[in-house]
Each structure stands twice: as C-alpha cells, then as structure tokens.
C-alpha cells in the first residue's frame, strides 16, 4: 500500500516538473507566412517529371528481376512431371532409366550444341524446338511473327525455365526491333517480354501477348 502511494506521488511530481520545464523553455515564434509560399519539403516538387520517369524505369527493372508482371493469364494449370517428361530406357538390357525426353515445345539458342547422346540427360526433340512466335500487340491489335530471344520464366518451375520449355503462361523474350518501339529516352527497344496464351505442343505454333 505504501509503495503504491509513493509511486502516485512520484508520478505527480514528475508531471509538475515537466509542466514547469515546458513553460520556461523557449518557443520559436512563427514568422508571418507570405501568400503562396511553399514549405521546404515541397520545394523540389517541380522537378518531379524526370524523377518520375526514372523511378518508373527502376520499378520496372525491379519487377522484371523479381519475375512479376501484369500478365493476361495470371493463373495457369500446373503441368505434372509425368506429362512433361517421357522416361527413356537405355543400356544393353534397357534397365537404366535416367534419361528423359521432353514432350513439350522447347526453345534453344542459335549457338546450341547437344551433349554426346550417351551423356545427355534431357533430350529436346528437334521437331519440338521453336525459334519464332506469333506475338499480338494489345494496343495496336496487330500480330507479328517475331524471333524468340529466350525463355524468361516458366510458371511450372525454374528447372523448366533453364531447359527452355514453353508451355501455356510462360514468359518469353522476343525481338521487337522491327516494330520500331522506343523508350522515353528515345532508344530503340530491342527485346520485350510476352506471355504464351496457347498450348504450343497442340497447335504447332506459339501464340503470345506482348507485355506493354
């Protein structure tokens, strides 16, 4: 009980001291503010246009790095491993089962050379290798047959991305130099991303929508 009373007294004393300090401390007298004056934190608001362009490009690059885009198909059906790969039996008695043949469309670069068949784990059939895609520009409402540069992201996993597998919902990079697109700085855009909207293994071609 005594401790509680002492505590209340101390608290009251501290409050009184604080009040005295506040009254004795100097306060800055606000000067008369002129009409239309801008506060210090708003002074560089006029130079925001260039900064905004820069920040937008930085944000875009960060999004690309993180692999996040506003895409036409945000959700796609996951492809099972059994559907993606076909087990190839090898060896004299056909007992080894470590080889896989990819049953989906793939993209390989121009300078691609296969490993020796004896050591090749993932076989990408030549008939399912594509180098071009039909890309639709959503604003121009036109479709162009463009060269592919690479596979940026396959929604089924990083392994399929590294193998260059193209399924529905995959983000691919295409060469748009012939479209004559330019950046705000006036430079010609070379590569742009597009999302695959069809099942290429069924249709025999890659249809995609440009991400603008």
């Amino acid at each position: 009980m005594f401790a509680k009373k002492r505590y209340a007294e101390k608290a009251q004393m501290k409050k009184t001291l604080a009040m005295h300090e506040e009254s004795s401390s100097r306060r800055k007298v606000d000067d008369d503010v002129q009409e239309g004056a801008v506060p210090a934190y708003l002074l560089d608001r006029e130079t925001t246009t260039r900064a905004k362009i820069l920040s937008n490009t930085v944000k875009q690059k960060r999004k690309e790095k993180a692999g996040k885009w506003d895409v036409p198909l945000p959700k796609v059906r996951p492809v099972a491993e059994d559907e993606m790969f076909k087990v190839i039996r090898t060896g004299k008695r056909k007992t080894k089962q470590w080889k896989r043949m990819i049953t989906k469309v793939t993209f390989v670069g121009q300078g691609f050379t296969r490993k020796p068949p004896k050591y090749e784990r993932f076989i990408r059939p030549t008939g399912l290798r594509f180098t071009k895609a039909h890309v639709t520009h959503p604003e121009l409402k036109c479709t162009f047959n463009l060269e592919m540069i690479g596979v940026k992201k396959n929604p089924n996993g990083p392994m399929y991305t590294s193998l260059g597998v193209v399924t529905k919902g995959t983000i691919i990079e295409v060469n748009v130099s012939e479209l004559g697109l330019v950046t705000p700085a006036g430079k010609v855009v070379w590569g742009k991303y597009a999302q695959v909207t069809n099942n290429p293994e069924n249709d025999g071609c890659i249809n995609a929508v440009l991400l603008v």
Side-chain angles (χ1 to χ4, degrees):
M1 282 294 285
F2 177 75
K4 205 171 184 183
K5 195 179 175 185
R6 183 88 182 107
Y7 176 76
E9 278 174 14
K10 270 190 175 179
Q12 191 60 44
M13 198 184 289
K14 274 189 179 177
K15 275 183 187 174
T16 333
L17 281 168
M19 276 170 72
H20 280 297
E21 274 175 21
E22 201 177 311
S23 60
S24 63
S25 66
R26 288 181 180 181
R27 285 187 184 178
K28 191 182 175 186
V29 179
D30 292 334
D31 298 325
D32 295 333
V33 179
Q34 291 178 7
E35 190 71 34
V38 182
Y41 59 86
L42 292 178
L43 281 173
D44 36 320
R45 276 287 168 92
E46 294 162 12
T47 56
T48 51
T49 46
R50 173 130 180 83
K52 202 166 189 183
I53 291 169
L54 282 169
S55 68
N56 284 350
T57 48
V58 167
K59 278 178 189 171
Q60 189 68 28
K61 280 185 179 174
R62 276 186 192 155
K63 272 186 183 177
E64 285 172 12
K65 236 181 184 179
K68 290 171 184 172
W69 299 271
D70 296 325
V71 289
L73 299 173
K75 284 185 180 179
V76 285
R77 181 184 69 87
V79 181
E81 208 168 294
D82 302 339
E83 191 185 334
M84 188 78 78
F85 300 122
K86 180 187 171 188
V87 179
I88 301 292
R89 287 171 172 269
T90 53
K92 193 177 179 183
R93 307 258 179 268
K94 302 292 178 198
T95 50
K96 295 173 183 172
Q97 298 181 21
W98 57 274
K99 285 193 179 190
R100 298 285 181 273
M101 184 186 279
I102 299 168
T103 58
K104 304 285 178 189
V105 165
T106 54
F107 167 80
V108 290
Q110 284 182 336
F112 173 75
T113 46
R114 284 179 64 181
K115 280 184 183 176
K118 189 178 179 181
Y119 305 111
E120 192 177 32
R121 174 154 160 70
F122 295 106
I123 301 160
R124 289 174 267 198
T126 324
L128 285 171
R129 288 186 204 167
F130 284 37
T131 54
K132 287 199 167 191
H134 301 125
V135 181
T136 306
H137 197 294
E139 288 166 9
L140 300 174
K141 299 283 189 287
C142 295
T143 305
F144 307 93
N145 192 14
L146 303 175
E147 290 271 350
M148 285 171 65
I149 299 171
V151 174
K152 179 69 181 172
K153 190 175 184 183
N154 189 307
N156 294 300
M159 184 176 77
Y160 302 130
T161 306
S162 61
L163 286 169
V165 178
V166 181
T167 53
K168 192 174 185 175
T170 302
I171 305 288
I172 57 170
E173 195 173 2
V174 287
N175 185 351
V176 291
S177 55
E178 61 188 63
L179 302 188
L181 300 173
V182 287
T183 60
K187 290 181 179 177
V188 176
V189 178
W190 179 257
K192 223 161 171 33
Y193 297 123
Q195 190 184 31
V196 178
T197 54
N198 71 326
N199 292 311
E201 70 278 3
N202 296 346
D203 301 341
C205 65
I206 297 172
N207 296 335
V209 175
L210 205 66
L211 305 179
V212 287

